[in-house]
Amino acid sequence: MSSASRFLTALIERSDEAARVASASVAALGVALASMSHAARSEGAEQPPRLSPPEPRDPASTVSGPWTAERLRRVLRDSLKGERVIVVANREPRIHDWADGDIIVRHPASGLVTALEPVMRACSGVWVAHGSGSADRVSSDRHGRYLVSAGDAEYSLRRVWLSDEEEQGYYYGFANEALWPLCHLAHAHPTFRRDDWAHYQRVNQRFADAASAEADCDDPIVLVQDYHFALVPRLLRRRFPRATILTFWHIPWPNAERLSICPFHEPLLEGLLGSSMVGFQTPQHCQNFLESIDRSLEARIERGEMSVVHHGQTTLVRSYPISIEWPNRTAAGAANVADCRREVREALDLTSDARVVVSVDRLDYTKGIEERLRTFERTLERWSPASGQLVFLQVGAPSRVRIDRYREFGERVRREVARINERFAGSPVRLLERHYEPHEVFRLYRAADACYVSSLHDGMNLVAKEFVAARDDEQGVLLLSRFAGAARELTEALVVNPYDVESVADVLTAALTMGAAEQRDRMRALRAQVAENNVYRWAGRMLLDATRLRHRERLQGRLQLRLAARRLERAGRFA
């Protein structure tokens, strides 16, 4: 056996990582070997057999039944040999703020936090996030760490400190004045500034550094979240070639033509392809992403397998509709529906039989709030006083108020609310413009007769699923925009086009007069769907798919090295 052959054999036997690295060069090595042995190769020489690595056994195959926190823990332990994960997200799960000399703790109004915290409770690990609260520093240790107690579980929060200039450029600038409007079809023009892009690059590097510092092995499991960190996967891949990097893009992915207006779309794509897997909410978003790769980068796209091979790295592209925890802890701890109805109506000085429609959003132009208010105005025009009082509760958490477009939007919403309330007696529209804790939101859900989600374009919208989780009485009607990702799953909701104000007003009127039996049939089906497709299933499917990919790559790397060793040995015999 030649020395080169012995070297490759040693690599095979001793190092999975060496096999992975070396396999990336096997194609070039094969060309060199062919040229060395071409003259001496005898006709009919034996060719190495084509071998297919066996598929790994599904680590969850021994775990039957619905997806739960315990099942997710077992998948992590059996398939990835551990339970610790690192989450990289802009939004932190706890915000510490000063209030009248005391420190208060807030749960942010965020679908991302709603989805991820149950996963962290199940898996433990570290959540790396921007420390945005006014009292975050004094609540953390000198490394920016804070231990989060979440029910019967704990996990670590690692805060990253940003200057006002960095936050303005990276978050308010590139993330929310460029990428957010670029990805949402809501008639807002994206703004691209070179300085914002520079801040985005630097902050992505800062978060990659923080996540790397939290890794306790050379193949960590990292969940990179959303459009704030498109560059982080590639940065992490350079440090941890064996890492399992799962990137989930929560918002819509635009079509290739729209993406191309971004001057920096190629490095964004390059960054995301550092992932083991990139997940989106819907199959259409996956197709848009693959088309963007096809138009912009030199890469091999395997559409049958929904994967991309770029610089020797394979990235799976999958649809994983995100969800919420089930059973839902907040719903389980809520007062019964009758008490919630009574308390909410008393607090808002409503009649005991008042019909209540609730919507819960950040004050964001993509949520269709202006269209929703016009819909409610049309409904009031048609509502008979004999049917009782009708009130619309709009929870509007302030959002991104440093951005002119958001401040102007908030002002338009307030003017519209004032105009409608001036036209109709009794202030039928109540704008609740403050932060609401989860238990407060669930009380409103349980008190409402209907919930209207009117997104103009949305990756998923977990408000719809939260409303379903809150209604264990199997009553209440969900109106859901067809342009929210949730409409693909929640088909028993009343799915509407929020732009068609007159038609939605007809549907809302029908919802408010729907019989209890039909409400029960619809809500029972919706609850079964959310229960089966909960957040543990979302996370478990991603982790299992990434595990299979990593297993195949390691087996294929070993095979390629064995073939290379045999070629070198034969070439040495004929030299």
Side-chain angles (χ1 to χ4, degrees):
M1 180 181 292
S2 68
S3 59
S5 180
R6 286 194 298 272
F7 173 68
L8 284 172
T9 301
L11 287 178
I12 295 165
E13 294 175 349
R14 297 182 58 188
S15 172
D16 284 343
E17 170 57 11
R20 192 204 66 78
V21 174
S23 65
S25 304
V26 164
L29 178 61
V31 173
L33 289 171
S35 63
M36 290 169 55
S37 60
H38 176 73
R41 183 180 296 131
S42 59
E43 186 174 353
E46 178 191 3
Q47 299 298 312
R50 294 175 61 101
L51 301 177
S52 297
E55 284 293 319
R57 184 175 63 87
D58 186 341
S61 61
T62 59
V63 186
S64 60
W67 278 94
T68 63
E70 177 57 30
R71 183 176 178 183
L72 181 60
R73 276 192 289 268
R74 289 189 62 180
V75 166
L76 280 164
R77 182 178 65 247
D78 296 344
S79 64
L80 293 169
K81 309 304 179 187
E83 295 185 355
R84 191 171 186 270
V85 299
I86 300 172
V87 167
V88 180
N90 178 75
R91 192 67 60 90
E92 56 183 334
R94 300 289 187 277
I95 300 174
H96 292 84
D97 279 323
W98 289 107
D100 300 324
D102 295 322
I103 295 176
I104 60 171
V105 182
R106 293 191 294 111
H107 296 72
S110 167
L112 183 149
V113 172
T114 298
L116 283 180
E117 183 157 56
V119 176
M120 291 301 290
R121 287 201 302 263
C123 305
S124 73
V126 183
W127 186 316
V128 180
H130 171 213
S132 60
S134 59
D136 276 354
R137 283 186 184 269
V138 299
S139 303
S140 308
D141 68 14
R142 62 190 182 91
H143 300 292
R145 296 189 180 94
Y146 171 78
L147 186 64
V148 178
S149 296
D152 57 354
E154 293 181 338
Y155 61 90
S156 296
L157 170 59
R158 166 69 157 85
R159 285 163 166 153
V160 177
W161 313 118
L162 301 179
S163 67
D164 287 344
E165 184 181 13
E166 288 173 325
E167 185 179 8
Q168 181 64 43
Y170 138 78
Y171 179 76
Y172 291 105
F174 193 76
N176 286 304
E177 289 189 274
L179 290 181
W180 181 266
L182 178 71
C183 293
H184 288 87
L185 299 177
H187 319 297
H189 185 75
T191 301
F192 302 103
R193 306 183 189 93
R194 190 169 296 276
D195 286 348
D196 290 345
W197 169 242
H199 281 299
Y200 186 85
Q201 291 174 290
R202 284 195 290 271
V203 171
N204 270 242
Q205 183 66 66
R206 294 269 304 281
F207 273 80
D209 292 343
S212 299
E214 297 299 328
D216 58 3
C217 59
D218 65 353
D219 57 348
I221 309 163
V222 186
L223 276 63
V224 180
Q225 300 299 309
D226 224 356
Y227 62 103
H228 310 90
F229 299 118
L231 308 182
V232 165
R234 178 62 63 191
L235 296 171
L236 288 175
R237 181 65 64 196
R238 290 171 183 164
R239 297 192 186 190
F240 302 103
R242 298 177 62 211
T244 299
I245 303 172
L246 312 179
T247 300
F248 192 76
W249 193 269
H250 290 253
I251 65 177
W253 185 270
N255 62 44
E257 184 175 3
R258 183 171 176 85
L259 180 71
S260 67
I261 71 174
C262 174
F264 316 106
H265 68 280
E266 290 186 8
L268 290 172
L269 293 169
E270 293 265 5
L272 289 169
L273 290 180
S275 310
S276 309
M277 184 281 302
V278 180
F280 297 96
Q281 302 280 18
T282 71
Q284 183 59 57
H285 299 161
C286 294
Q287 294 297 336
N288 287 350
F289 181 72
L290 292 177
E291 184 63 26
S292 300
I293 298 292
D294 195 30
R295 288 197 185 189
S296 302
L297 300 180
E298 290 292 331
R300 187 174 80 249
I301 298 175
E302 302 287 352
R303 293 189 181 272
E305 295 185 359
M306 294 294 288
S307 65
V308 179
V309 181
H310 184 59
H311 296 325
Q313 162 77 34
T314 299
T315 300
L316 297 180
V317 180
R318 295 286 189 273
S319 170
Y320 301 103
I322 201 168
S323 194
I324 61 174
E325 121 180 92
W326 194 284
N328 190 279
R329 290 172 181 243
T330 308
N336 65 55
V337 170
D339 287 345
C340 290
R341 290 179 67 87
R342 175 180 51 78
E343 291 169 3
V344 167
R345 283 158 177 76
E346 288 177 356
L348 297 173
D349 196 24
L350 307 179
T351 61
S352 60
D353 61 347
R355 298 298 180 92
V356 173
V357 181
V358 67
S359 293
V360 179
D361 308 275
R362 292 179 300 102
L363 282 177
D364 191 295
Y365 57 85
T366 66
K367 302 301 181 182
I369 296 174
E370 291 174 290
E371 290 78 7
R372 188 185 302 157
L373 290 170
R374 288 195 289 272
T375 294
F376 192 67
E377 182 178 22
R378 297 296 180 272
T379 307
L380 286 168
E381 292 171 353
R382 303 167 190 185
W383 190 254
S384 169
S387 300
Q389 188 179 17
L390 177 58
V391 175
F392 175 48
L393 303 181
Q394 172 64 64
V395 175
S399 177
R400 302 168 187 167
V401 293
R402 292 194 198 178
I403 299 175
D404 291 342
R405 180 181 290 147
Y406 281 82
R407 288 199 302 272
E408 293 164 1
F409 175 75
E411 291 168 2
R412 291 201 307 272
V413 168
R414 294 180 201 103
R415 287 196 299 268
E416 190 72 354
V417 169
R419 183 187 66 77
I420 296 172
N421 283 338
E422 185 176 345
R423 181 182 173 195
F424 297 93
S427 298
V429 181
R430 310 292 176 90
L431 179 59
L432 310 177
E433 202 172 349
R434 69 169 178 85
H435 172 75
Y436 274 67
E437 287 292 311
H439 72 275
E440 296 177 289
V441 172
F442 269 69
R443 185 175 68 160
L444 295 178
Y445 289 150
R446 291 167 77 82
D449 297 282
C451 175
Y452 181 23
V453 174
S454 60
S455 306
L456 303 182
H457 198 200
D458 220 333
M460 177 54 64
N461 194 294
L462 294 181
V463 167
K465 295 186 177 184
E466 287 181 341
F467 177 70
V468 169
R471 298 314 298 253
D472 54 10
D473 64 331
E474 298 182 341
Q475 294 295 293
V477 183
L478 173 63
L479 278 73
L480 179 57
S481 166
R482 60 183 292 189
F483 305 118
R488 292 179 55 86
E489 299 180 273
L490 305 182
T491 54
E492 285 76 20
L494 304 183
V495 179
V496 298
N497 177 356
Y499 290 100
D500 190 354
V501 170
E502 299 291 342
S503 294
V504 181
D506 291 338
V507 174
L508 180 55
T509 301
L512 292 168
T513 56
M514 184 181 291
E518 183 177 354
Q519 290 186 48
R520 184 178 302 108
D521 289 344
R522 289 179 178 274
M523 187 57 69
R524 186 172 293 169
L526 291 170
R527 287 175 61 81
Q529 208 285 335
V530 177
E532 180 179 355
N533 297 285
N534 60 35
V535 75
Y536 303 117
R537 183 175 188 269
W538 170 78
R541 288 180 59 221
M542 284 196 299
L543 290 166
L544 285 175
D545 284 349
T547 301
R548 293 185 185 104
L549 173 65
R550 183 163 75 170
H551 189 74
R552 283 201 302 269
E553 285 184 336
R554 289 182 176 180
L555 290 179
Q556 188 63 26
R558 293 175 184 177
L559 172 64
Q560 293 296 328
L561 281 172
R562 288 190 179 95
L563 296 177
R566 292 177 63 182
R567 290 173 188 145
L568 278 174
E569 185 176 359
R570 285 198 304 274
R573 287 203 301 265
F574 289 108

